[in-house]
Amino acid sequence: GLLCASEGVPLAYQVKQVKGVPMCGDGDEDEDCKDDKPPILAYTFSSGRGTKNNPTSQRYYDILMEGAKEWNLGGLQAYLEEEVEVVDR
């Protein structure tokens, strides 16, 4: 729909189904926590180029941070702040 159109599907990206790994509320991948929650199916955009560690747009970074704060994923917030390179196009 609208999100796909705004993100350049199908010209720049394809929609891929992925298996999500449950995390504890603090964002840590605690084995005890994951045992209680089954994997979830989710969707992501893929360029199909197989590249890793590409910088992300400020808009996408802000969406990720908002979700991490909303779901109390402190570990994800810290990872985003420390590891993700942001560019403003």
Side-chain angles (χ1 to χ4, degrees):
L2 185 57
L3 181 59
C4 288
S6 74
E7 296 302 323
V9 173
L11 299 175
Y13 296 99
Q14 296 85 43
V15 177
K16 301 274 183 166
Q17 189 176 56
V18 296
K19 191 181 296 185
V21 177
M23 299 176 84
C24 295
D26 61 3
D28 292 333
E29 291 189 54
D30 181 355
E31 290 301 320
D32 295 331
C33 178
K34 286 195 292 188
D35 288 342
D36 296 337
K37 299 176 184 175
I40 59 169
L41 292 179
Y43 294 90
T44 189
F45 295 113
S46 172
S47 68
R49 293 187 289 254
T51 57
K52 294 182 181 179
N53 300 323
N54 287 337
T56 190
S57 69
Q58 185 67 53
R59 178 176 169 254
Y60 187 61
Y61 178 85
D62 292 344
I63 290 169
L64 293 173
M65 284 297 282
E66 183 179 321
K69 290 175 185 173
E70 181 177 335
W71 291 98
N72 193 31
L73 298 174
L76 178 58
Q77 286 178 272
Y79 172 81
L80 292 170
E81 291 169 350
E82 296 169 16
E83 302 293 332
V84 176
E85 181 183 352
V86 178
V87 295
D88 196 19
R89 298 179 202 246

